[in-house]
């Protein structure tokens, strides 16, 4: 009897293990990832100071540095399926100093983005200069070089890749091929697996996954849009805001600002 009971127990353990394995393997290309984006505010503002067009602008921005917090953490949720990625900003209450910098446009006040990895469609929404901006364009082409460096993020073994985006901005990404979706947060994509870690030194931020949940999801780019939205491509957005901010900020500061909002 004991032998029969042991056989039954072993059989049940094997069956349950197969079920668990099947559940894990069934949705490796669908789920939700929670990210924390850390913006190193004082370092970012110092970069604005270094790029200032003249002494007057430099002194104005220097005054902002003193009251700025060292950094601010923003939360994002990323829903993914085989061909689509929707990365949404999670609104929270922030310290008054950070809120003020957001209103000034120094750093993002809520960027959300959508990527269709099959059709190469990209959409993004954010607010800048008191206006809601909607981008509709193609996904970014990023030049990646995969390395042999690894690290664990949110329970996944990830491999490092160094990238060049928007022609001159250097980025470091950590991706996992255990999630076979060639996407990532913000506008990043193009690696043989999901990006769970990201650092953009020039824009003074990094973004790392804190939780991964594998489960069916429904994704639509319409979740980002409102009826009154008038989408523009990246160049149209650049030219439109350049007319408002370009001369005031100077070319180098303006390009840095747009890099922060494009990525």
């Amino acid at each position: 009897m004991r032998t029969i009971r042991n056989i039954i127990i072993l059989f049940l353990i094997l069956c349950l293990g197969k079920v668990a394995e099947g559940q894990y393997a069934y949705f490796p290309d669908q789920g939700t990832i929670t990210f924390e984006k850390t913006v190193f505010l004082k370092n970012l503002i110092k970069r604005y100071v270094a790029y200032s067009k003249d002494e007057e602008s430099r002194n104005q921005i220097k005054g902002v540095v003193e009251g700025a917090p060292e950094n601010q953490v923003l939360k994002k949720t990323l829903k993914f399926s085989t061909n689509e990625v929707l990365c949404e900003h999670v609104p929270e209450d922030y310290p008054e100093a950070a809120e003020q910098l957001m209103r000034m446009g120094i750093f993002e006040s809520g960027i959300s983005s959508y990527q269709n990895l099959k059709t190469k469609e990209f959409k993004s929404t954010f607010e800048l200069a008191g206006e809601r901006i909607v981008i509709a364009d193609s996904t970014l082409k990023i030049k990646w070089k995969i390395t042999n460096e690894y690290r664990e993020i949110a329970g996944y073994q990830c491999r490092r890749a160094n990238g060049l985006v928007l022609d001159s901005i250097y980025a470091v990404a950590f991706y996992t091929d255990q999630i076979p979706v060639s996407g990532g947060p913000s506008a990043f994509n193009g690696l043989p697996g999901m990006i769970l870690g990201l650092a953009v030194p020039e824009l003074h931020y990094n973004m790392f996954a804190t939780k991964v949940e594998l489960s069916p999801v429904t994704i639509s780019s319409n979740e980002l849009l409102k009826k009154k939205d008038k989408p523009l491509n990246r160049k149209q957005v650049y030219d439109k805001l350049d007319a408002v901010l370009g001369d005031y900020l100077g070319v180098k500061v303006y390009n840095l600002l747009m890099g922060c909002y494009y990525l």
Side-chain angles (χ1 to χ4, degrees):
M1 288 294 292
R2 181 172 295 180
T3 301
I4 295 174
R5 185 179 65 182
N6 290 343
I7 291 173
I8 293 172
I9 291 172
L10 179 60
F11 176 78
L12 290 173
I13 290 172
L14 291 172
C15 287
L16 289 172
K18 286 295 183 182
V19 169
E21 181 182 343
Q23 287 175 338
Y24 180 84
Y26 189 69
F27 299 119
D29 57 356
Q30 293 187 60
T32 302
I33 304 171
T34 302
F35 281 91
E36 287 189 350
K37 178 179 180 178
T38 302
V39 184
F40 301 97
L41 288 175
K42 283 200 170 181
N43 289 337
L44 176 61
I45 298 169
K46 288 176 182 177
R47 179 65 65 95
Y48 284 127
V49 171
Y51 284 0
S52 295
K53 65 176 183 176
D54 52 42
E55 193 64 27
E56 181 181 355
S57 299
R58 192 171 296 111
N59 290 333
Q60 287 178 347
I61 299 175
K62 280 182 179 178
V64 177
V65 177
E66 297 176 2
E70 288 290 336
N71 57 63
Q72 180 62 54
V73 177
L74 309 174
K75 290 185 180 178
K76 308 280 183 179
T77 58
L78 184 150
K79 291 194 291 186
F80 65 91
S81 62
T82 305
N83 295 313
E84 295 178 286
V85 175
L86 178 66
C87 186
E88 296 180 285
H89 178 74
V90 180
E92 293 185 296
D93 292 327
Y94 305 107
E96 178 56 33
E99 291 275 8
Q100 184 178 0
L101 293 174
M102 286 180 173
R103 290 191 293 268
M104 292 170 65
I106 296 293
F107 78 115
E108 68 146 301
S109 55
I111 301 172
S112 294
S113 60
Y114 165 85
Q115 298 184 79
N116 189 308
L117 305 172
K118 184 176 182 179
T119 64
K120 307 302 181 184
E121 174 190 3
F122 174 84
K123 291 180 180 177
S124 176
T125 65
F126 56 87
E127 288 191 8
L128 184 59
E131 185 175 355
R132 175 177 163 86
I133 305 296
V134 180
I135 295 175
D137 210 322
S138 56
T139 54
L140 288 176
K141 294 181 179 179
I142 305 170
K143 297 178 181 178
W144 292 112
K145 183 177 181 180
I146 296 173
T147 75
N148 290 321
E149 181 180 338
Y150 294 83
R151 68 180 293 179
E152 185 176 302
I153 302 173
Y156 287 81
Q157 187 73 359
C158 297
R159 188 171 185 175
R160 174 174 172 166
N162 301 326
L164 195 66
V165 59
L166 295 177
D167 296 327
S168 61
I169 297 178
Y170 173 73
V172 175
F174 289 89
Y175 72 93
T176 177
D177 57 11
Q178 292 175 269
I179 301 176
V181 177
S182 185
S186 187
F188 286 88
N189 65 80
L191 286 167
M194 178 61 69
I195 296 171
L196 297 183
L198 184 66
V200 188
E202 184 173 343
L203 304 183
H204 296 283
Y205 80 78
N206 62 40
M207 196 181 307
F208 288 94
T210 58
K211 182 170 65 173
V212 177
E213 300 172 281
L214 299 177
S215 60
V217 294
T218 301
I219 299 176
S220 171
S221 64
N222 294 329
E223 294 180 46
L224 292 183
L225 304 181
K226 298 179 180 179
K227 289 183 179 180
K228 295 182 179 180
D229 284 338
K230 297 180 179 179
L232 303 171
N233 63 35
R234 291 185 187 90
K235 185 179 185 309
Q236 289 171 327
V237 169
Y238 183 95
D239 292 344
K240 178 180 179 178
L241 293 176
D242 188 26
V244 180
L245 300 172
D247 289 340
Y248 174 71
L249 295 175
V251 174
K252 292 189 73 174
V253 171
Y254 180 65
N255 285 344
L256 175 63
L257 181 75
M258 294 311 297
C260 290
Y261 281 86
Y262 282 169
L263 301 176

